[in-house]
Short mmCIF file of all heavy atoms in Angstrom, two decimals:
data_model
loop_
_atom_site.label_atom_id
_atom_site.label_comp_id
_atom_site.label_asym_id
_atom_site.label_seq_id
_atom_site.Cartn_x
_atom_site.Cartn_y
_atom_site.Cartn_z
N ILE O 1 -100.89 -38.84 -130.52
CA ILE O 1 -101.48 -37.53 -130.87
C ILE O 1 -101.90 -36.79 -129.61
O ILE O 1 -101.67 -35.58 -129.47
CB ILE O 1 -102.69 -37.72 -131.81
CG1 ILE O 1 -102.21 -38.24 -133.17
CG2 ILE O 1 -103.45 -36.40 -131.97
CD1 ILE O 1 -103.32 -38.61 -134.12
N LYS O 2 -102.49 -37.52 -128.65
CA LYS O 2 -102.91 -36.89 -127.39
C LYS O 2 -101.72 -36.34 -126.63
O LYS O 2 -101.76 -35.24 -126.07
CB LYS O 2 -103.67 -37.90 -126.53
CG LYS O 2 -105.08 -38.19 -127.01
CD LYS O 2 -105.77 -39.18 -126.08
CE LYS O 2 -107.20 -39.47 -126.55
NZ LYS O 2 -107.88 -40.45 -125.65
N ILE O 3 -100.64 -37.08 -126.59
CA ILE O 3 -99.43 -36.62 -125.90
C ILE O 3 -98.87 -35.38 -126.57
O ILE O 3 -98.49 -34.41 -125.91
CB ILE O 3 -98.36 -37.74 -125.86
CG1 ILE O 3 -98.84 -38.89 -124.98
CG2 ILE O 3 -97.02 -37.20 -125.37
CD1 ILE O 3 -97.94 -40.12 -125.04
N PHE O 4 -98.86 -35.40 -127.92
CA PHE O 4 -98.34 -34.25 -128.67
C PHE O 4 -99.19 -33.00 -128.39
O PHE O 4 -98.65 -31.91 -128.15
CB PHE O 4 -98.37 -34.56 -130.17
CG PHE O 4 -98.02 -33.37 -131.03
CD1 PHE O 4 -96.70 -33.01 -131.22
CD2 PHE O 4 -99.03 -32.62 -131.62
CE1 PHE O 4 -96.39 -31.90 -132.00
CE2 PHE O 4 -98.72 -31.52 -132.40
CZ PHE O 4 -97.39 -31.16 -132.59
N LEU O 5 -100.51 -33.16 -128.41
CA LEU O 5 -101.39 -32.01 -128.16
C LEU O 5 -101.22 -31.48 -126.75
O LEU O 5 -101.24 -30.27 -126.52
CB LEU O 5 -102.86 -32.42 -128.40
CG LEU O 5 -103.25 -32.66 -129.87
CD1 LEU O 5 -104.67 -33.21 -129.95
CD2 LEU O 5 -103.14 -31.36 -130.67
N ALA O 6 -101.04 -32.39 -125.79
CA ALA O 6 -100.85 -31.96 -124.40
C ALA O 6 -99.58 -31.14 -124.26
O ALA O 6 -99.56 -30.09 -123.60
CB ALA O 6 -100.79 -33.18 -123.48
N LEU O 7 -98.51 -31.61 -124.92
CA LEU O 7 -97.25 -30.87 -124.88
C LEU O 7 -97.38 -29.53 -125.57
O LEU O 7 -96.83 -28.52 -125.11
CB LEU O 7 -96.14 -31.70 -125.53
CG LEU O 7 -95.66 -32.93 -124.76
CD1 LEU O 7 -94.73 -33.77 -125.63
CD2 LEU O 7 -94.95 -32.50 -123.48
N PHE O 8 -98.11 -29.51 -126.69
CA PHE O 8 -98.32 -28.27 -127.44
C PHE O 8 -98.99 -27.22 -126.58
O PHE O 8 -98.55 -26.07 -126.49
CB PHE O 8 -99.16 -28.55 -128.69
CG PHE O 8 -99.46 -27.31 -129.50
CD1 PHE O 8 -98.56 -26.87 -130.46
CD2 PHE O 8 -100.62 -26.59 -129.28
CE1 PHE O 8 -98.83 -25.73 -131.21
CE2 PHE O 8 -100.90 -25.46 -130.02
CZ PHE O 8 -100.00 -25.03 -130.98
N PHE O 9 -100.07 -27.60 -125.90
CA PHE O 9 -100.80 -26.65 -125.08
C PHE O 9 -100.01 -26.23 -123.85
O PHE O 9 -100.12 -25.10 -123.38
CB PHE O 9 -102.17 -27.21 -124.69
CG PHE O 9 -103.15 -27.19 -125.82
CD1 PHE O 9 -103.64 -28.37 -126.36
CD2 PHE O 9 -103.57 -25.99 -126.39
CE1 PHE O 9 -104.52 -28.36 -127.41
CE2 PHE O 9 -104.46 -25.97 -127.45
CZ PHE O 9 -104.94 -27.16 -127.96
N MET O 10 -99.19 -27.13 -123.33
CA MET O 10 -98.33 -26.77 -122.19
C MET O 10 -97.32 -25.71 -122.60
O MET O 10 -97.04 -24.77 -121.85
CB MET O 10 -97.59 -28.00 -121.67
CG MET O 10 -98.43 -28.93 -120.82
SD MET O 10 -97.51 -30.42 -120.38
CE MET O 10 -96.21 -29.74 -119.37
N LEU O 11 -96.79 -25.83 -123.79
CA LEU O 11 -95.77 -24.90 -124.25
C LEU O 11 -96.36 -23.56 -124.66
O LEU O 11 -95.79 -22.51 -124.38
CB LEU O 11 -95.02 -25.49 -125.46
CG LEU O 11 -94.05 -26.63 -125.14
CD1 LEU O 11 -93.58 -27.29 -126.44
CD2 LEU O 11 -92.85 -26.11 -124.36
N TYR O 12 -97.51 -23.57 -125.30
CA TYR O 12 -98.03 -22.35 -125.89
C TYR O 12 -99.17 -21.71 -125.11
O TYR O 12 -99.69 -20.68 -125.51
CB TYR O 12 -98.46 -22.61 -127.33
CG TYR O 12 -97.28 -22.90 -128.20
CD1 TYR O 12 -96.88 -24.21 -128.46
CD2 TYR O 12 -96.52 -21.86 -128.72
CE1 TYR O 12 -95.75 -24.47 -129.22
CE2 TYR O 12 -95.40 -22.11 -129.49
CZ TYR O 12 -95.03 -23.41 -129.75
OH TYR O 12 -93.91 -23.68 -130.50
N SER O 13 -99.52 -22.27 -123.97
CA SER O 13 -100.50 -21.61 -123.12
C SER O 13 -99.83 -20.57 -122.24
O SER O 13 -100.47 -19.82 -121.54
CB SER O 13 -101.23 -22.62 -122.24
OG SER O 13 -100.30 -23.27 -121.39
N THR O 14 -98.49 -20.50 -122.27
CA THR O 14 -97.75 -19.51 -121.51
C THR O 14 -96.93 -18.66 -122.47
O THR O 14 -96.55 -19.10 -123.54
CB THR O 14 -96.81 -20.20 -120.50
OG1 THR O 14 -96.03 -19.17 -119.87
CG2 THR O 14 -95.87 -21.18 -121.17
N LYS O 15 -96.63 -17.42 -122.04
CA LYS O 15 -95.82 -16.54 -122.86
C LYS O 15 -94.38 -16.56 -122.39
O LYS O 15 -93.60 -15.67 -122.68
CB LYS O 15 -96.38 -15.13 -122.81
CG LYS O 15 -97.72 -14.97 -123.47
CD LYS O 15 -98.25 -13.57 -123.33
CE LYS O 15 -97.45 -12.59 -124.13
NZ LYS O 15 -98.00 -11.24 -124.09
N SER O 16 -93.99 -17.55 -121.60
CA SER O 16 -92.64 -17.60 -121.04
C SER O 16 -91.64 -18.11 -122.07
O SER O 16 -91.05 -19.17 -121.91
CB SER O 16 -92.62 -18.47 -119.79
OG SER O 16 -93.23 -17.82 -118.73
N PHE O 17 -91.49 -17.40 -123.15
CA PHE O 17 -90.46 -17.73 -124.12
C PHE O 17 -90.09 -16.47 -124.88
O PHE O 17 -90.87 -15.53 -124.98
CB PHE O 17 -90.93 -18.82 -125.09
CG PHE O 17 -92.15 -18.45 -125.89
CD1 PHE O 17 -92.02 -17.85 -127.14
CD2 PHE O 17 -93.41 -18.69 -125.40
CE1 PHE O 17 -93.14 -17.50 -127.88
CE2 PHE O 17 -94.53 -18.34 -126.13
CZ PHE O 17 -94.41 -17.75 -127.38
N CYS O 18 -88.85 -16.42 -125.36
CA CYS O 18 -88.38 -15.31 -126.18
C CYS O 18 -88.60 -15.67 -127.64
O CYS O 18 -88.62 -16.83 -128.01
CB CYS O 18 -86.91 -15.05 -125.92
SG CYS O 18 -86.53 -14.60 -124.22
N SER O 19 -88.76 -14.64 -128.47
CA SER O 19 -88.89 -14.90 -129.90
C SER O 19 -87.60 -15.47 -130.47
O SER O 19 -87.63 -16.27 -131.41
CB SER O 19 -89.26 -13.60 -130.63
OG SER O 19 -90.53 -13.16 -130.21
N GLU O 20 -86.46 -15.06 -129.90
CA GLU O 20 -85.16 -15.53 -130.36
C GLU O 20 -84.14 -15.22 -129.27
O GLU O 20 -84.32 -14.27 -128.50
CB GLU O 20 -84.76 -14.82 -131.66
CG GLU O 20 -83.44 -15.28 -132.25
CD GLU O 20 -83.08 -14.52 -133.53
OE1 GLU O 20 -83.31 -13.28 -133.56
OE2 GLU O 20 -82.57 -15.13 -134.47
N LEU O 21 -83.10 -16.01 -129.18
CA LEU O 21 -82.05 -15.75 -128.20
C LEU O 21 -80.69 -15.87 -128.89
O LEU O 21 -80.33 -16.94 -129.38
CB LEU O 21 -82.13 -16.74 -127.03
CG LEU O 21 -81.04 -16.59 -125.95
CD1 LEU O 21 -81.15 -15.23 -125.26
CD2 LEU O 21 -81.14 -17.72 -124.93
N ILE O 22 -79.96 -14.76 -128.94
CA ILE O 22 -78.60 -14.74 -129.47
C ILE O 22 -77.65 -14.82 -128.27
O ILE O 22 -77.87 -14.15 -127.26
CB ILE O 22 -78.31 -13.45 -130.25
CG1 ILE O 22 -79.36 -13.23 -131.34
CG2 ILE O 22 -76.91 -13.47 -130.85
CD1 ILE O 22 -79.41 -14.29 -132.39
N SER O 23 -76.60 -15.60 -128.37
CA SER O 23 -75.67 -15.70 -127.25
C SER O 23 -74.24 -15.85 -127.73
O SER O 23 -73.97 -16.32 -128.84
CB SER O 23 -76.04 -16.88 -126.34
OG SER O 23 -75.93 -18.11 -127.04
N HIS O 24 -73.33 -15.44 -126.88
CA HIS O 24 -71.89 -15.66 -127.08
C HIS O 24 -71.37 -16.21 -125.76
O HIS O 24 -71.36 -15.51 -124.75
CB HIS O 24 -71.17 -14.36 -127.43
CG HIS O 24 -69.67 -14.48 -127.35
ND1 HIS O 24 -68.93 -15.08 -128.35
CD2 HIS O 24 -68.80 -14.11 -126.39
CE1 HIS O 24 -67.65 -15.05 -127.99
NE2 HIS O 24 -67.54 -14.47 -126.82
N ILE O 25 -70.97 -17.48 -125.75
CA ILE O 25 -70.59 -18.15 -124.51
C ILE O 25 -69.15 -18.63 -124.63
O ILE O 25 -68.86 -19.57 -125.37
CB ILE O 25 -71.53 -19.32 -124.20
CG1 ILE O 25 -72.99 -18.84 -124.17
CG2 ILE O 25 -71.16 -19.97 -122.86
CD1 ILE O 25 -74.01 -19.95 -124.01
N PRO O 26 -68.22 -17.99 -123.90
CA PRO O 26 -66.83 -18.46 -123.94
C PRO O 26 -66.69 -19.77 -123.16
O PRO O 26 -67.63 -20.22 -122.48
CB PRO O 26 -66.07 -17.33 -123.24
CG PRO O 26 -67.07 -16.75 -122.30
CD PRO O 26 -68.40 -16.86 -123.00
N GLU O 27 -65.54 -20.38 -123.23
CA GLU O 27 -65.31 -21.62 -122.49
C GLU O 27 -65.25 -21.32 -121.00
O GLU O 27 -64.54 -20.41 -120.56
CB GLU O 27 -63.99 -22.26 -122.95
CG GLU O 27 -63.77 -23.65 -122.38
CD GLU O 27 -62.53 -24.32 -122.94
OE1 GLU O 27 -61.91 -23.73 -123.86
OE2 GLU O 27 -62.18 -25.40 -122.47
N ASN O 28 -66.03 -22.05 -120.23
CA ASN O 28 -66.06 -21.93 -118.77
C ASN O 28 -66.31 -20.48 -118.28
O ASN O 28 -65.50 -19.93 -117.54
CB ASN O 28 -64.76 -22.45 -118.15
CG ASN O 28 -64.52 -23.91 -118.47
OD1 ASN O 28 -65.44 -24.72 -118.44
ND2 ASN O 28 -63.27 -24.25 -118.79
N PRO O 29 -67.42 -19.88 -118.67
CA PRO O 29 -67.69 -18.51 -118.20
C PRO O 29 -67.97 -18.49 -116.70
O PRO O 29 -68.53 -19.44 -116.16
CB PRO O 29 -68.94 -18.12 -119.00
CG PRO O 29 -69.63 -19.42 -119.26
CD PRO O 29 -68.53 -20.42 -119.48
N ASN O 30 -67.58 -17.41 -116.04
CA ASN O 30 -67.90 -17.27 -114.62
C ASN O 30 -68.85 -16.11 -114.34
O ASN O 30 -69.23 -15.87 -113.20
CB ASN O 30 -66.62 -17.12 -113.78
CG ASN O 30 -65.74 -15.98 -114.24
OD1 ASN O 30 -66.22 -15.01 -114.84
ND2 ASN O 30 -64.45 -16.09 -113.98
N LYS O 31 -69.23 -15.38 -115.40
CA LYS O 31 -70.20 -14.30 -115.28
C LYS O 31 -71.08 -14.29 -116.53
O LYS O 31 -70.74 -14.87 -117.55
CB LYS O 31 -69.50 -12.94 -115.13
CG LYS O 31 -68.74 -12.80 -113.82
CD LYS O 31 -68.12 -11.43 -113.69
CE LYS O 31 -67.35 -11.32 -112.37
NZ LYS O 31 -66.70 -10.00 -112.21
N ALA O 32 -72.22 -13.61 -116.41
CA ALA O 32 -73.13 -13.51 -117.56
C ALA O 32 -73.73 -12.12 -117.61
O ALA O 32 -73.98 -11.50 -116.57
CB ALA O 32 -74.23 -14.56 -117.48
N LEU O 33 -73.96 -11.64 -118.82
CA LEU O 33 -74.65 -10.37 -119.03
C LEU O 33 -75.80 -10.59 -119.99
O LEU O 33 -75.61 -11.09 -121.10
CB LEU O 33 -73.69 -9.32 -119.61
CG LEU O 33 -74.35 -8.00 -120.03
CD1 LEU O 33 -74.88 -7.25 -118.82
CD2 LEU O 33 -73.37 -7.12 -120.81
N ILE O 34 -76.99 -10.20 -119.57
CA ILE O 34 -78.18 -10.22 -120.42
C ILE O 34 -78.43 -8.79 -120.89
O ILE O 34 -78.50 -7.88 -120.06
CB ILE O 34 -79.41 -10.74 -119.66
CG1 ILE O 34 -79.17 -12.15 -119.12
CG2 ILE O 34 -80.65 -10.71 -120.55
CD1 ILE O 34 -80.22 -12.60 -118.11
N MET O 35 -78.55 -8.59 -122.20
CA MET O 35 -78.79 -7.25 -122.73
C MET O 35 -80.14 -7.22 -123.45
O MET O 35 -80.38 -8.02 -124.36
CB MET O 35 -77.67 -6.85 -123.69
CG MET O 35 -77.83 -5.46 -124.28
SD MET O 35 -77.64 -4.16 -123.03
CE MET O 35 -78.21 -2.72 -123.96
N LEU O 36 -81.00 -6.29 -123.05
CA LEU O 36 -82.36 -6.22 -123.58
C LEU O 36 -82.50 -5.05 -124.56
O LEU O 36 -82.11 -3.92 -124.25
CB LEU O 36 -83.36 -6.05 -122.43
CG LEU O 36 -83.25 -7.07 -121.29
CD1 LEU O 36 -84.27 -6.76 -120.20
CD2 LEU O 36 -83.42 -8.49 -121.81
N HIS O 37 -83.09 -5.33 -125.70
CA HIS O 37 -83.27 -4.32 -126.74
C HIS O 37 -84.43 -3.38 -126.44
O HIS O 37 -85.23 -3.60 -125.52
CB HIS O 37 -83.50 -5.00 -128.10
CG HIS O 37 -84.75 -5.83 -128.14
ND1 HIS O 37 -86.01 -5.29 -128.36
CD2 HIS O 37 -84.96 -7.17 -127.98
CE1 HIS O 37 -86.92 -6.25 -128.36
NE2 HIS O 37 -86.30 -7.41 -128.13
N GLY O 38 -84.55 -2.35 -127.24
CA GLY O 38 -85.64 -1.39 -127.11
C GLY O 38 -86.81 -1.71 -128.03
O GLY O 38 -86.83 -2.74 -128.71
N TRP O 39 -87.76 -0.81 -128.06
CA TRP O 39 -89.00 -0.97 -128.84
C TRP O 39 -88.69 -1.05 -130.33
O TRP O 39 -87.84 -0.34 -130.85
CB TRP O 39 -89.91 0.23 -128.56
CG TRP O 39 -91.33 0.06 -129.00
CD1 TRP O 39 -92.20 -0.92 -128.62
CD2 TRP O 39 -92.07 0.93 -129.85
NE1 TRP O 39 -93.43 -0.73 -129.19
CE2 TRP O 39 -93.38 0.41 -129.96
CE3 TRP O 39 -91.75 2.10 -130.54
CZ2 TRP O 39 -94.38 1.02 -130.72
CZ3 TRP O 39 -92.74 2.71 -131.29
CH2 TRP O 39 -94.04 2.17 -131.38
N HIS O 40 -89.38 -1.96 -131.02
CA HIS O 40 -89.23 -2.16 -132.46
C HIS O 40 -87.90 -2.80 -132.84
O HIS O 40 -87.58 -2.90 -134.03
CB HIS O 40 -89.38 -0.83 -133.24
CG HIS O 40 -90.77 -0.58 -133.72
ND1 HIS O 40 -91.36 -1.27 -134.76
CD2 HIS O 40 -91.71 0.29 -133.29
CE1 HIS O 40 -92.59 -0.82 -134.94
NE2 HIS O 40 -92.83 0.13 -134.06
N GLN O 41 -87.11 -3.23 -131.86
CA GLN O 41 -85.83 -3.83 -132.15
C GLN O 41 -85.88 -5.33 -131.89
O GLN O 41 -86.95 -5.92 -131.73
CB GLN O 41 -84.73 -3.17 -131.30
CG GLN O 41 -84.55 -1.69 -131.59
CD GLN O 41 -83.50 -1.06 -130.69
OE1 GLN O 41 -83.22 -1.50 -129.59
NE2 GLN O 41 -82.89 0.02 -131.18
N SER O 42 -84.70 -5.97 -131.83
CA SER O 42 -84.58 -7.39 -131.52
C SER O 42 -83.25 -7.63 -130.84
O SER O 42 -82.40 -6.73 -130.78
CB SER O 42 -84.68 -8.24 -132.79
OG SER O 42 -83.50 -8.06 -133.57
N GLY O 43 -83.05 -8.83 -130.36
CA GLY O 43 -81.78 -9.17 -129.74
C GLY O 43 -80.61 -9.00 -130.68
O GLY O 43 -79.52 -8.58 -130.29
N ARG O 44 -80.83 -9.31 -131.96
CA ARG O 44 -79.76 -9.15 -132.95
C ARG O 44 -79.33 -7.69 -133.06
O ARG O 44 -78.16 -7.39 -133.36
CB ARG O 44 -80.23 -9.65 -134.32
CG ARG O 44 -80.38 -11.16 -134.39
CD ARG O 44 -80.72 -11.64 -135.78
NE ARG O 44 -80.88 -13.09 -135.79
CZ ARG O 44 -79.88 -13.95 -135.93
NH1 ARG O 44 -78.65 -13.49 -136.08
NH2 ARG O 44 -80.10 -15.25 -135.92
N GLY O 45 -80.27 -6.79 -132.84
CA GLY O 45 -79.96 -5.36 -132.97
C GLY O 45 -79.01 -4.82 -131.94
O GLY O 45 -78.41 -3.76 -132.14
N VAL O 46 -78.86 -5.52 -130.81
CA VAL O 46 -77.91 -5.07 -129.78
C VAL O 46 -76.76 -6.05 -129.59
O VAL O 46 -75.89 -5.83 -128.75
CB VAL O 46 -78.63 -4.83 -128.43
CG1 VAL O 46 -79.49 -3.60 -128.48
CG2 VAL O 46 -79.45 -6.05 -127.99
N SER O 47 -76.74 -7.12 -130.38
CA SER O 47 -75.70 -8.14 -130.21
C SER O 47 -74.31 -7.66 -130.63
O SER O 47 -73.31 -8.32 -130.34
CB SER O 47 -76.07 -9.42 -130.97
OG SER O 47 -76.16 -9.18 -132.36
#
């Protein structure tokens, strides 16, 4: 239980996570594009 709580607080004491991540990854990609949505939208809205 102590280990679980420690991990929980490590994960959720920071905001370094996205609410959701949609991706399309071809075989052996050599480039990447990150596209960011606007206000009131989500990643799905620009996917």
